[in-house]
Amino acid sequence: MKILVPVKRVVDYNVKVRVKKDETDVELDNVKMSMNPFDEIAVEEALRLKEKGVASEIIAVSIGLPEVQETIRNALAMGADSGIFVNCTSKLEPLSVAKILTSICNKIKPDLVIMGKQAIDDDMNATGQMLSAMLNWGQATFASKLEIQDKKIKVSREIDGGIENIEVNLPAVVTTDLRLNEPRYASLPNIMKAKRKPIDEIKVEDLNIDIEPRLEILKVEEPKSREAGIMVKSVDEMIEKLKNEAKVI
Amino acid sequence: MKTLVVVDHNNNKLEKSTLNTIKAALKLGNVDLLVLSDSCRDICNELIHIKNINNIFTNENDAFKNQLAEDSANFIAENFKDYTNILFSNTSNGKNIAPRLAGLLDTMIIPDVIEIVDKQTFKRPIYAGNAIATCKSKNKINIITIRSTAFEEAEIGNENVGKIQEIGSLTTNNQTKYLNSELTKSERPELTSADIVVSGGRGLGSAENFQILEKLADKLGAAMGASRAAVDAGYVPNDWQVGQTGKIVAPNLYIAVGISGAIQHLAGMKDSKVIIGINKDDEAPIFSISDYGLAEDLFKAVPEMESKLN
Ligand SMILES: Cc1cc2nc3c(=O)[nH]c(=O)nc-3n(C[C@H](O)[C@H](O)[C@H](O)COP(=O)(O)OP(=O)(O)OC[C@H]3O[C@@H](n4cnc5c(N)ncnc54)[C@H](O)[C@@H]3O)c2cc1C
């Protein structure tokens, strides 16, 4: 069984991003970049399926500027077998990413795509669902547990009321939630080994896909900030403030 | 301009955030509603009194009982292609179905909208709410999910307003099958629409210790929430998680106990009207957004607070 894992290079989750003065974007110069945490969970899950003997091959794919090859290398260092780098200099939104991934799926025919439920930069939560729609495959979003039996995958999904269990025929798209697993760190020998693993390069132009953005970003601004409050000295003072000043209890 | 709101529900009751989504939709044009369920009647009885809506379309089918994205998205794509806007609440259902529908209709979804600037321009938070993007849509059909805490609820009157009409037919999917669910049972108010939320973090230390927080919540008639760390540690169920990748809440009062205040947590609660933080570390980041902070051991402060409230 072949698993495709899309990985995205994003601002590291520990960085508090700042809006640029000209309000066109957030500041990305000299900011630490990492693999989207949900994608690390996706890579980890694919590796576990391989270790169980369920999967035989794991391919990591990333789309963007040459830097995204670092992210592919991270996935290879964790244990993925090979990478696909789609070279693309234009800004991409989930619709275009889903189209590019559809074209790759049609070419390499994976049995399963495991990907993050959302990227922590644009917080879209969309690409996995769009991809499975375009491929006309089943989808299992927000996965916290999965199990493969024959040609089916059983998935526990985190939903607003608790957990939902579904069964999806393969091939399918799964999107990961936080509780699916705890990703491993790449060991030094594996980082060295990853340098020799193959990464195929594809030029986005060669795919003949319309990637013109449908959403034009007019402005990126700071959110409303909260005024700093006060520290109280005791529970009594807290209750007094809540009752008489804030009037919320 | 025809605007559709896809109603979120649990087959018996309306999901409250639908009212916020309808309110948002009314800014875009004439609003029709769509109910997909195995039993539409009770839900329609709630919807029929909402002011300013036109048609309530229904399709009653056993297959809709579990609201699989494959079925709902196919049905909507087939029957509502001629609409200009299709709105969902940004609930786990909306997040599951709306992007799939957008994929079928070749349109870029506009998720988690907090403000409608004009009929093609929308504001949405990015980077865990540390920035707000204004996006102008070039889509032919806008598929939008609405952050319910950013909009009021649609008004409900006494008259029967909406005209109920059964439409379409569903060809059920053969890809995905619902098995069962394990829903968290609770007598408390629903987290995303509660007036008061009491949230606990890793500082609670165990599932048993959460009981002291639950006592406080019950005294206040509050919903319970939690940080990711508390959920990951197994102290509380996953559906309590508040934050960037959990639920978004904006109650009148948010009480954060033993929560440090990571940006991912703040993203889910910083629009609360009043925030209080209880943390033994007087430099915890939670205090930088708290209206009232108390630097004390929670095991002392919480029981004391509970006993002094009447
Ligand atoms: C991709 C991603 C998504 C995430 N999404 C979310 C999300 O949606 N929601 C979320 O909450 N987090 C999320 N996180 C995690 C987030 O970064 C933090 O790790 C998490 O919020 C920390 O939880 P916490 O405050 O409970 O724990 P900690 O940061 O460990 O804080 C515990 C606090 O308890 C205090 N404390 C300990 N003992 C006591 C005591 N006896 N009395 C009083 N105070 C005490 C400590 O001083 C400390 O401040 C996400 C992270 C990633 C990478």
Side-chain angles (χ1 to χ4, degrees):
Chain A
M1 185 170 111
K2 198 191 278 186
I3 304 180
L4 182 72
V5 185
V7 292
K8 184 175 186 184
R9 185 174 186 266
V10 299
V11 172
D12 187 84
Y13 80 96
N14 278 311
V15 173
K16 183 165 184 337
V17 299
R18 308 242 170 260
V19 169
K20 277 188 177 168
K21 286 232 160 49
D22 65 2
E23 296 195 319
T24 54
D25 201 348
V26 300
E27 198 58 71
L28 292 175
D29 290 343
N30 304 314
V31 169
K32 183 176 181 219
M33 305 294 279
S34 302
M35 188 191 298
N36 179 39
F38 288 100
D39 305 349
E40 285 181 337
I41 296 173
V43 174
E44 176 64 35
E45 198 61 22
L47 296 175
R48 290 184 188 190
L49 288 171
K50 193 174 171 195
E51 284 158 2
K52 277 191 211 146
V54 178
S56 52
E57 188 185 356
I58 302 166
I59 304 164
V61 54
S62 195
I63 310 164
L65 299 170
E67 295 91 282
V68 307
Q69 290 174 93
E70 283 167 33
T71 312
I72 299 174
R73 286 280 168 219
N74 288 346
L76 297 178
M78 285 174 75
D81 298 295
S82 64
I84 299 176
F85 161 49
V86 182
N87 195 332
C88 173
T89 51
S90 356
K91 275 224 160 191
L92 288 166
E93 54 192 25
L95 184 69
S96 315
V97 174
K99 286 179 184 175
I100 295 169
L101 292 176
T102 298
S103 145
I104 289 172
C105 285
N106 287 333
K107 208 175 297 173
I108 67 167
K109 305 213 173 343
D111 303 281
L112 180 63
V113 177
I114 310 182
M115 56 201 288
K117 76 163 180 180
Q118 90 193 57
I120 59 164
D121 49 6
D122 59 17
D123 284 334
M124 286 278 184
N125 197 328
T127 310
Q129 296 89 318
M130 288 182 155
L131 174 63
S132 53
M134 290 173 189
L135 291 165
N136 194 24
W137 292 1
Q139 72 183 45
T141 51
F142 326 144
S144 64
K145 204 167 117 194
L146 60 82
E147 197 186 325
I148 292 179
Q149 290 168 337
D150 306 326
K151 286 261 156 210
K152 290 184 191 327
I153 181 164
K154 256 193 195 168
V155 180
S156 302
R157 306 179 52 234
E158 293 200 358
I159 58 168
D160 286 345
I163 298 284
E164 175 185 272
N165 298 307
I166 61 171
E167 186 178 78
V168 190
N169 291 346
L170 296 178
V173 177
V174 171
T175 76
T176 61
D177 216 318
L178 296 167
R179 257 70 59 180
L180 187 58
N181 60 50
E182 248 181 80
R184 69 194 66 187
Y185 291 102
S187 66
L188 198 58
N190 285 345
I191 293 172
M192 300 310 289
K193 255 207 294 202
K195 292 191 173 146
R196 292 190 304 270
K197 290 183 181 175
I199 298 181
D200 260 353
E201 181 172 338
I202 300 177
K203 290 199 175 55
V204 77
E205 301 78 44
D206 296 341
L207 298 175
N208 275 320
I209 294 171
D210 167 23
I211 53 165
E212 184 66 27
R214 307 280 178 85
L215 300 181
E216 184 192 349
I217 306 297
L218 301 181
K219 186 171 159 185
V220 173
E221 64 195 311
E222 296 271 358
K224 272 193 265 124
S225 64
R226 286 186 81 92
E227 275 176 39
I230 57 160
M231 295 300 287
V232 297
K233 302 238 153 31
S234 65
V235 167
D236 289 318
E237 191 188 347
M238 176 70 85
I239 293 176
E240 193 273 319
K241 292 284 185 201
L242 292 178
K243 280 200 168 136
N244 303 322
E245 197 173 86
K247 298 188 169 55
V248 284
I249 58 171
Chain B
M1 288 228 257
K2 296 213 278 183
T3 296
L4 183 75
V5 171
V6 181
V7 172
D8 201 350
H9 59 78
N10 67 1
N11 296 308
N12 304 308
K13 270 179 61 187
L14 192 62
E15 169 64 44
K16 242 182 137 192
S17 60
T18 299
L19 294 176
N20 309 90
T21 305
I22 294 172
K23 184 80 179 182
L26 286 166
K27 291 193 155 186
L28 295 169
N30 290 330
V31 174
D32 295 329
L33 309 180
L34 173 64
V35 182
L36 301 176
S37 171
D38 69 331
S39 145
C40 299
R41 209 188 53 206
D42 292 348
I43 304 154
C44 287
N45 285 341
E46 285 190 72
L47 295 171
I48 201 158
H49 300 300
I50 297 173
K51 289 186 179 169
N52 301 317
I53 56 163
N54 298 328
N55 301 298
I56 303 173
F57 297 115
T58 62
N59 189 279
E60 198 162 287
N61 190 317
D62 284 345
F64 285 131
K65 180 166 187 208
N66 304 305
Q67 306 181 33
L68 293 170
E70 291 81 351
D71 291 330
S72 303
N74 281 346
F75 182 87
I76 300 164
E78 239 160 69
N79 293 284
F80 295 93
K81 280 199 259 309
D82 58 330
Y83 274 62
T84 314
N85 304 293
I86 303 178
L87 281 77
F88 294 77
S89 301
N90 201 29
T91 53
S92 55
N93 264 332
K95 286 189 233 181
N96 192 35
I97 302 166
R100 185 170 182 101
L101 175 64
L104 293 177
L105 295 176
D106 186 19
T107 175
M108 177 52 208
I109 185 163
I110 314 172
D112 209 11
V113 166
I114 57 167
E115 190 182 326
I116 295 174
V117 180
D118 63 41
K119 291 188 176 182
Q120 291 296 338
T121 315
F122 307 89
K123 289 194 183 185
R124 56 180 305 273
I126 52 175
Y127 293 94
N130 286 307
I132 308 293
T134 304
C135 330
K136 190 175 166 82
S137 165
K138 299 180 200 160
N139 288 318
K140 289 197 191 73
I141 305 179
N142 290 320
I143 296 177
I144 297 166
T145 68
I146 292 292
R147 180 179 284 203
S148 59
T149 54
F151 293 86
E152 315 253 278
E153 288 180 8
E155 289 158 68
I156 299 178
N158 297 319
E159 277 161 72
N160 289 2
V161 184
K163 294 181 281 294
I164 302 176
Q165 215 176 311
E166 170 92 10
I167 62 152
S169 67
L170 170 76
T171 331
T172 44
N173 90 83
N174 51 16
Q175 297 147 328
T176 301
K177 205 169 87 192
Y178 170 86
L179 299 175
N180 54 48
S181 22
E182 303 148 34
L183 299 183
T184 310
K185 290 198 185 69
S186 168
E187 302 291 310
R188 299 194 184 95
E190 202 272 313
L191 175 55
T192 55
S193 54
D195 257 355
I196 304 181
V197 172
V198 174
S199 255
R202 195 185 333 249
L204 270 294
S206 72
E208 295 74 51
N209 289 345
F210 253 83
Q211 286 168 12
I212 64 162
L213 220 52
E214 294 183 45
K215 272 197 192 156
L216 175 65
D218 291 339
K219 198 78 169 263
L220 290 165
M224 285 295 302
S227 72
R228 172 192 174 180
V231 178
D232 282 6
Y235 303 165
V236 296
N238 64 280
D239 51 302
W240 288 18
Q241 184 184 313
V242 170
Q244 179 189 16
T245 60
K247 287 183 181 161
I248 308 289
V249 302
N252 278 326
L253 175 61
Y254 188 89
I255 305 180
V257 181
I259 292 178
S260 60
I263 34 181
Q264 292 86 5
H265 189 77
L266 304 188
M269 44 66 81
K270 70 183 158 88
D271 293 328
S272 305
K273 216 166 116 215
V274 175
I275 295 173
I276 73 173
I278 301 177
N279 195 307
K280 68 177 180 190
D281 170 8
D282 61 6
E283 288 183 1
I286 191 71
F287 292 132
S288 67
I289 63 143
S290 297
D291 298 278
Y292 306 108
L294 177 62
E296 205 171 89
D297 192 301
L298 72 92
F299 296 105
K300 179 172 168 291
V302 175
E304 184 184 340
M305 192 163 168
E306 194 257 324
S307 72
K308 285 181 172 166
L309 289 169
N310 38 39

